[in-house]
Amino acid sequence: MNEVLKVHELTKAFGSTNVLDGISFRMKEGEVISLIGSSGCGKSTALRCINFLETPTSGQIEFMGQAISVSCNKRGESEIVNASYIRAFRQRIGMVFQNFNLWPHRTVLGNVTESLVYVLKMSRKQAEEVALSALSKVGMASFRDRYPHQLSGGQQQRVAFARVLAMRPKLMLCDEPTSALDPELVGEVLKVIRTLAEEGATILLVTHEMRFARDVSNRMIFLQEGRLEQDDTPEELLRNPATEGVKRFLSSVMPASA
Amino acid sequence: MLADFWILMVERGWALALLRGGAVTIAIGLLGMLLGFVVATPLAVLRWQKVAVVSQLVDAYSIVVRGVPGLLVIYLLFFGSVDMVKTVATTFGYQDSVDNAYPYIVGVIAIAVISCAYSIEVIRGALQAVPYGLLEAAKSLALPTRITFSRITFPLALRLALGGINNVWQMTIKDTSLISVVGLQELMRTAAIAAGITRSPFLFYCIAAALFFGMTAVSQTLFSRAERALNRGFGGR
C-alpha cells in the first residue's frame, strides 16, 4: 500500500524543554494509528507539527511524496525548506480539535462550505451538495441551518468531522476528539471514527480512550517525554510493553487490562 | 409664552439655524467617526499582529492622543496648520475657498484623530479576544489568510467590539462641540450665539441638550439592532 506520511526525526523545543525528541514513524494508506501516553508527553504537539500549526524545531515531514524539512540554524531559528508545500499539506490533511472549533457565527452548513468555496473553489451550489453529503455521513444533515451553540458537544464534534471530511482528506489528525465531551456523548463521536476507519480512512488519533484505541487502531505509538518508546500493533503493545514506561502507563490507564 | 417661542423660533429663524447646526454636528461626527474607524482598523490589525516598529508607533499615537484633552488636539491641529495652509492656498489663489472650507476639514480630521485613537484600542482588544482555536481551524483547512480575516476574524471581532465602538461614537458626537472653537457653527456654537443674542440661554441650551440627546438616542437604537444581528449564533439575548 502507498505510504501517506513519513515523520522523520521530528524535534520540537519550547525554550530549553524538548517536547519532542526526534520521533520517527510512517503511515500507510488506510492505517489508523493511535498516539498514546500520559499528558504532556508530546502527543498533541506531534500531531500539530504534521500540519505545521506548530513549527517543528527540526526534522522532516513527508506527505504524499512531498517533503518539508526543518532545520535549526546557528541563531536557533527554524529554517523551513519547501515551506510553500504547507498549504498543500493542509488542504489534504484534515484536523479535528478537542474543542471542535466550529465558527460560532456560521451555521452548520456554513461551517462546512467555507473551505469548499474558498479553498477548493467550488460554486456555492456544488459546495452545499458536497457539504450535505458529508453532514449526512455523520448524521447531522437535518441540523444544517442550526448554529453551533444550539448543538450538544457531540453534535458539534460530528459537524467538525463533516467539515474535514468534505475536503476529502488523505489523512485525518484527531486531537483528543472526545476529551471535551460529557461521558454520554463520547459514543456518538467514537462511532463516527469507527465508521471512517472501517471505510479505509487514514487516521492519526491522539486519545485517552484506550479500549477504543485498541479496537480501532492498526498500530499504537507510545510517547514518553517526547521520545517514541514503542510502535506496535495494539495486541503486541498491550501484551509485551517494550519499556518500563509503557508498562507503567498501561497499568495506570487499564488497571484490569484483558 | 408660546407666541414668544413661535416668534423666536420661526420668525427670527432660530429653529432653522439650530437644525443647520445639528446637521453640521451630525455630518462632522459621522465623517470623523467613519474616517477614524477606517484608519483605526488596519492600525489595530498591525498592533494585533505585533508588527515591529509600526506597532510601537501606533501605540505611541494612541497613548498620546488619549492622554491629552480633545480641545488641545483641535487647537494643535488648527493653529498648527492654518498659517501654512493659508500661505499655500493664497499662492495658488484659493484664499476664499480655504477660509470657508478649512474649519470643516480640520473639524473632521480632528474628530477622526481623536476617535481613531480610541477605536484602535477597542478593535485591537476585540481582535485579541477572538478565540485562537477558531483561527487554527481555518488554518488547518488551508483557508487563505485574507479570507480567514474577512470572513472569520473580523466579523467575530466586530461583534466583540460593538459595545466599545458604541462608546467611542457617543464620545465622538459630543466631542464635535469642541470644534466650535475653530469657528465652525455646529449645534453647540449655534446655541451659544442664539443664547447671547436673544438673552434666553436656558431655553437654547435646553434645546441643544435635547437635540444631542435625540441623536444619541437614535444611534443607540441602531447599535442595539446591529448587536442583535451580529449576535446570531451566540444564543442572542
Side-chain angles (χ1 to χ4, degrees):
Chain A
M1 261 200 263
N2 292 330
E3 232 160 16
V4 174
L5 180 72
K6 277 190 228 174
V7 174
H8 183 69
E9 288 295 322
L10 183 63
T11 307
K12 174 72 184 176
F14 289 110
S16 56
T17 1
N18 272 346
V19 180
L20 292 176
D21 205 355
I23 68 168
S24 307
F25 63 91
R26 292 158 176 241
M27 274 184 95
K28 295 199 193 85
E29 199 176 339
E31 259 188 326
V32 177
I33 296 183
S34 295
L35 283 175
I36 58 170
S38 45
S39 54
C41 70
K43 314 179 291 271
S44 290
T45 308
L47 211 62
R48 293 162 56 81
C49 280
I50 290 168
N51 65 353
F52 287 84
L53 282 188
E54 214 76 76
T55 306
T57 306
S58 68
Q60 182 175 312
I61 310 280
E62 188 180 323
F63 170 68
M64 305 291 291
Q66 288 180 316
I68 304 179
S69 37
V70 186
S71 56
C72 199
N73 71 10
K74 284 190 195 106
R75 275 176 295 169
E77 295 156 345
S78 293
E79 273 179 3
I80 309 179
V81 180
N82 289 334
S84 57
Y85 290 163
I86 291 178
R87 177 145 286 157
F89 273 35
R90 287 179 180 158
Q91 199 171 322
R92 312 301 305 277
I93 299 177
M95 185 159 197
V96 175
F97 300 85
Q98 184 176 354
N99 296 313
F100 335 130
N101 288 338
L102 295 181
W103 300 309
H105 60 312
R106 287 280 140 79
T107 59
V108 164
L109 191 65
N111 263 280
V112 184
T113 53
E114 198 71 5
S115 53
L116 300 176
V117 172
Y118 291 100
V119 178
L120 300 186
K121 311 282 178 206
M122 289 184 191
S123 69
R124 182 87 24 210
K125 192 165 165 289
Q126 195 189 359
E128 283 183 7
E129 278 169 24
V130 173
L132 278 175
S133 84
L135 283 168
S136 36
K137 189 148 198 170
V138 298
M140 290 300 294
S142 55
F143 295 85
R144 51 178 287 178
D145 295 323
R146 300 278 186 93
Y147 285 94
H149 79 98
Q150 298 169 309
L151 307 176
S152 74
Q155 291 171 327
Q156 290 192 48
Q157 193 59 297
R158 278 148 67 196
V159 173
F161 267 98
R163 179 166 71 174
V164 163
L165 282 176
M167 295 288 286
R168 301 199 160 282
K170 277 285 175 189
L171 167 65
M172 291 180 73
L173 308 174
C174 303
D175 190 5
E176 304 195 24
T178 59
S179 299
L181 297 177
D182 290 337
E184 78 269 21
L185 302 176
V186 169
E188 59 184 283
V189 172
L190 293 185
K191 209 177 102 198
V192 169
I193 302 175
R194 192 187 296 271
T195 313
L196 294 174
E198 282 163 6
E199 286 173 3
T202 315
I203 302 175
L204 186 57
L205 174 70
V206 170
T207 187
H208 291 291
E209 302 281 338
M210 289 302 294
R211 276 161 231 283
F212 176 75
R214 178 188 62 189
D215 293 347
V216 83
S217 315
N218 303 96
R219 269 161 50 216
M220 285 171 122
I221 292 177
F222 178 81
L223 297 183
Q224 186 174 28
E225 287 166 15
R227 285 184 314 278
L228 191 155
E229 299 249 309
Q230 191 170 2
D231 177 354
D232 253 321
T233 60
E235 297 76 32
E236 193 58 28
L237 188 133
L238 293 172
R239 203 179 317 126
N240 295 318
T243 66
E244 232 4 78
V246 187
K247 203 180 281 176
R248 223 176 311 119
F249 175 74
L250 288 178
S251 65
S252 72
V253 292
M254 304 178 88
S257 106
Chain B
M1 173 70 200
L2 209 61
D4 288 351
F5 186 71
W6 176 261
I7 291 171
L8 220 51
M9 285 301 146
V10 181
E11 289 179 15
R12 301 256 176 88
W14 286 117
L16 206 61
L18 284 172
L19 283 179
R20 198 180 297 140
V24 170
T25 290
I26 291 176
I28 297 223
L30 270 181
L31 282 175
M33 180 73 196
L34 212 65
L35 185 63
F37 188 78
V38 166
V39 175
T41 303
L43 294 182
V45 171
L46 291 171
R47 251 317 251 109
W48 173 57
Q49 302 248 310
K50 300 195 173 72
V51 180
V53 188
V54 188
S55 186
Q56 277 84 350
L57 288 175
V58 172
D59 227 17
Y61 157 72
S62 157
I63 287 172
V64 168
V65 171
R66 286 183 305 140
V68 300
L71 195 54
L72 201 65
V73 175
I74 294 164
Y75 277 140
L76 285 174
L77 271 177
F78 188 72
F79 297 113
S81 63
V82 74
D83 284 343
M84 190 190 73
V85 172
K86 269 208 174 123
T87 323
V88 173
T90 314
T91 321
F92 291 97
Y94 287 112
Q95 178 63 51
D96 288 349
S97 51
V98 164
D99 279 351
N100 294 332
Y102 197 59
Y104 286 91
I105 296 169
V106 169
V108 170
I109 290 177
I111 291 297
V113 164
I114 298 168
S115 77
C116 179
Y118 287 89
S119 292
I120 287 173
E121 292 305 311
V122 171
I123 300 168
R124 181 188 60 89
L127 285 169
Q128 275 170 353
V130 174
Y132 191 59
L134 301 181
L135 309 185
E136 278 196 331
K139 234 183 198 181
S140 77
L141 285 161
L143 275 184
T145 322
R146 214 163 25 84
I147 298 290
T148 304
F149 185 78
S150 65
R151 295 186 56 88
I152 293 163
T153 320
F154 194 68
L156 289 171
L158 198 60
R159 172 188 159 268
L160 296 168
L162 207 62
I165 295 292
N166 188 1
N167 267 341
V168 176
W169 163 248
Q170 297 256 328
M171 200 193 63
T172 301
I173 195 77
K174 289 181 290 181
D175 273 357
T176 54
S177 65
L178 302 174
I179 298 295
S180 57
V181 298
V182 299
L184 199 66
Q185 294 201 7
E186 42 65 69
L187 181 52
M188 202 54 211
R189 178 94 184 124
T190 314
I193 293 170
I197 293 179
T198 62
R199 312 249 167 104
S200 319
F202 187 68
L203 173 67
F204 279 98
Y205 287 132
C206 278
I207 294 174
L211 285 177
F212 266 113
F213 185 72
M215 289 175 209
T216 48
V218 169
S219 61
Q220 211 53 244
T221 323
L222 293 179
F223 266 102
S224 313
R225 243 184 239 176
E227 214 158 319
R228 239 171 295 142
L230 282 172
N231 266 333
R232 237 177 355 161
F234 294 87
R237 282 134 293 194

